[in-house]
């Protein structure tokens, strides 16, 4: 979240800081009493009450009865403040190599209307891909919800600068394109937008979903056609000098059929090997996972190689980043629960005793995490000092060019 200590002392900026801090506090706490909110804001009850009245009047906050009042307290149940889920809408989209995923979140960051549509990203020009993603995301949304849409986030497997210009997206065949500008042009007027690398977006969503309570260092890997990585330190994304921190997909893997990790454990090589043993040209990831689950020998051998290569790369990452926790996402990560013991065995074999092994978990929404993170980027911005409307007399949605 934003650091308020650098604000000027102008009444407008102080008010903006207090409104943003109130929204952040209620979001983090889910429900707060008026007294607790005033204490967290460091304001008297009157000043805090004015902020609450404005937020209630703008449909962003509501009062609810306390579900379970403390047994020692007499009288009526207390009144708590919570965000109104329908108070704002944020759209997240991932343009992948094999699919487009779109979803929406409300002001409480709960997910709704998830759509995963097959898409041949390798053969679609960037403008066509973005137009298709926007069409999927907006299809069926009522006009009233469009009016409440406060942001559109787009994630894709690409190296890009902080302004949203793609340097290269080798899996999609894009090079030197202004993805941020193309996305703005494809959206209805007035909807703010941000674009981000898919692994970074996934990492943002992973941290954001914990509402700031996840401490330490988390390495996030997104395993699809390629392997993307992101690093979160104390709940904040660490980008590195050029926005490429955590990208271990390009680690060289010994004793593999190919040189780099994203080829060794990515979807393409897995399916190529599986087709060879399955004897059919339409072998799928679901079929491979089912055969591994059923302990079919050829599928188990493929899974063992996958586990060994993944373990090698994770050990290298642990020596450089020293994460407390590794989170796996993407469709191919569905293989991990079936070979987790083998990954642990190979890591223990490779890792020196002086390097502790991190916790490794499969993300609970492994296939939609990047789209969720993309939506969270705009949600976070809406609750921050970057939303200038928090300093105005009314709250709308025209943030201008982000």
């Amino acid at each position: 979240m934003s650091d308020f200590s650098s604000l000027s002392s102008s009444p407008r900026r102080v008010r903006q800081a207090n409104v943003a801090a109130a929204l952040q506090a209620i979001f983090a706490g889910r429900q707060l009493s008026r007294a607790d909110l005033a204490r967290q804001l460091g304001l008297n009850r009157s000043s805090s009450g004015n902020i609450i009245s404005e937020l209630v009047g703008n449909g962003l906050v509501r009062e609810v009865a306390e579900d379970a009042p403390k047994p020692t307290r007499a009288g009526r149940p207390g009144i708590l403040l919570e965000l109104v889920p329908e108070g704002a809408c944020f759209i997240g989209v991932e343009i992948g190599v094999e699919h487009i995923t779109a979803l929406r979140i409300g002001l409480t960051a709960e997910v709704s209307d998830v759509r995963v549509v097959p898409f041949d990203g390798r053969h679609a020009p960037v403008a066509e891909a973005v137009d298709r993603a926007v069409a999927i995301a907006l299809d069926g949304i009522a006009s009233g919800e469009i009016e409440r849409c406060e942001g559109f986030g787009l994630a894709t497997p690409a190296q890009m600068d902080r302004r949203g210009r793609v340097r290269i997206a080798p899996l999609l065949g894009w090079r030197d394109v202004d993805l941020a500008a193309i996305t703005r042009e494809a959206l209805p007027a007035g909807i703010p937008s941000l674009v981000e690398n898919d692994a970074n977006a996934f990492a943002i969503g992973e941290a954001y979903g914990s509402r700031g309570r996840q401490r330490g260092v988390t390495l996030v890997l997104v395993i699809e056609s390629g392997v993307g990585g992101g690093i979160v330190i104390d709940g904040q994304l660490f980008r590195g000098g050029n926005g490429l921190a955590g990208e271990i997909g390009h680690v060289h893997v010994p004793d593999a059929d190919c040189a780099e990790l994203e080829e060794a454990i990515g979807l393409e090589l897995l399916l190529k090997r599986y087709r060879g043993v399955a004897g059919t040209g339409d072998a799928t990831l679901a079929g491979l996972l089912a055969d591994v689950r059923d302990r079919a020998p050829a599928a188990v051998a493929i899974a063992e190689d996958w586990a060994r290569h993944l373990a090698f790369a994770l050990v290298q990452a642990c020596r450089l980043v020293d994460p407390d926790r590794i989170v796996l996402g993407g469709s191919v990560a569905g293989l991990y629960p079936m070979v987790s013991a083998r990954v642990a065995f190979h890591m223990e074999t490779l890792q020196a005793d002086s390097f502790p092994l991190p916790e490794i978990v499969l993300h609970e929404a492994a296939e939609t995490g990047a789209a969720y993170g993309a939506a969270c980027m705009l949600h976070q911005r809406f609750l921050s000092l970057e939303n200038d409307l928090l300093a105005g007399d009314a709250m709308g949605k025209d943030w201008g060019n982000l």
Side-chain angles (χ1 to χ4, degrees):
M1 296 294 181
S2 300
D3 180 6
F4 301 114
S5 62
S6 62
L7 284 173
S8 70
S9 59
S10 71
R12 182 176 184 273
R13 292 294 283 171
V14 170
R15 175 192 169 281
Q16 182 182 8
N18 288 333
V19 173
L23 288 171
Q24 292 174 13
I26 299 171
F27 174 69
R30 290 182 170 82
Q31 291 183 330
L32 287 178
S33 69
R34 285 175 173 261
D36 286 339
L37 180 60
R39 277 193 293 271
Q40 290 196 31
L41 297 180
L43 299 174
N44 59 43
R45 293 287 292 270
S46 175
S47 297
S48 176
N50 289 335
I51 292 172
I52 293 167
S53 295
E54 179 178 353
L55 292 174
V56 171
N58 281 290
L60 301 178
V61 171
R62 65 189 176 194
E63 293 183 327
V64 294
E66 187 176 5
D67 290 335
K70 295 179 181 179
T72 57
R73 189 171 63 200
R76 292 177 298 176
I79 301 298
L80 300 176
L81 302 168
E82 67 179 15
L83 298 182
V84 179
E86 303 81 15
C89 164
F90 307 87
I91 297 172
V93 171
E94 177 200 4
I95 298 177
V97 178
E98 311 278 345
H99 63 272
I100 291 174
T101 300
L103 53 77
R104 298 198 297 273
I105 64 173
L107 198 53
T108 55
E110 302 298 326
V111 176
S112 65
D113 195 38
V114 178
R115 303 182 185 190
V116 182
V117 178
F119 181 72
D120 185 1
R122 289 186 178 89
H123 298 99
V126 59
E128 178 184 323
V130 172
D131 285 344
R132 178 65 175 142
V134 169
I136 292 170
L138 299 184
D139 181 45
I141 297 183
S143 58
E145 193 163 7
I146 289 289
E147 288 298 314
R148 296 192 303 273
C149 184
E150 298 290 353
F152 181 100
L154 188 150
T156 197
Q159 293 183 14
M160 63 183 76
D161 62 24
R162 292 178 181 271
R163 295 175 179 267
R165 188 173 192 88
V166 172
R167 302 184 189 98
I168 185 171
L171 296 175
L172 296 171
W174 303 348
R175 182 185 291 272
D176 193 27
V177 293
D178 192 342
L179 183 60
I182 292 170
T183 301
R184 284 195 299 269
E185 291 169 4
L187 287 168
I191 297 181
S193 63
L194 291 171
V195 300
E196 183 57 89
N197 166 269
D198 61 342
N200 280 347
F202 201 114
I204 290 168
E206 162 63 19
Y208 207 64
S210 66
R211 306 217 178 185
R213 289 190 288 272
Q214 184 66 51
R215 296 298 176 186
V217 179
T218 299
L219 173 65
V220 176
L221 296 186
V222 180
I223 312 173
E224 291 279 359
S225 297
V227 178
I231 299 171
V232 175
I233 301 176
D234 291 339
Q236 299 296 317
L237 179 69
F238 174 69
R239 295 181 178 276
N242 298 287
L244 301 176
E247 291 290 355
I248 72 168
H250 300 287
V251 168
H252 285 256
V253 180
D255 302 324
D257 294 339
C258 45
E260 295 188 344
L261 177 68
E262 70 175 5
E263 297 173 334
I265 68 171
L267 181 62
E268 187 172 337
L269 182 62
L270 273 181
L271 292 185
K272 179 180 178 181
R273 291 190 61 188
Y274 183 52
R275 290 186 188 104
V277 300
T280 175
D282 59 354
T284 63
L285 177 61
L288 172 62
L289 297 181
D291 278 356
V292 174
R293 193 176 298 113
D294 293 340
R295 311 304 297 169
V300 169
I302 295 172
E304 167 64 17
D305 285 344
W306 187 88
R308 179 165 51 86
H309 297 323
L310 175 62
F312 173 84
L314 293 183
V315 167
Q316 311 315 307
C318 288
R319 290 172 179 171
L320 292 174
V321 180
D322 188 25
D324 306 288
R325 188 164 173 262
I326 295 174
V327 178
L328 303 180
S331 61
V332 181
L335 182 55
Y336 175 74
M338 290 176 266
V339 296
S340 59
R342 297 302 299 164
V343 173
F345 168 78
H346 290 301
M347 290 186 70
E348 289 168 0
T349 301
L350 294 168
Q351 185 74 296
D353 292 339
S354 58
F355 285 86
L357 293 173
E359 174 192 20
I360 304 175
V361 298
L362 179 68
H363 194 274
E364 61 183 14
E367 296 188 39
T368 59
Y372 176 70
C376 287
M377 295 188 303
L378 278 302
H379 186 283
Q380 185 178 47
R381 190 158 191 165
F382 183 77
L383 302 190
S384 79
L385 292 169
E386 295 180 78
N387 181 358
D388 288 334
L389 293 177
L390 298 184
D393 295 329
M395 296 183 191
K397 66 174 183 176
D398 185 10
W399 294 4
N401 294 326
L402 298 182

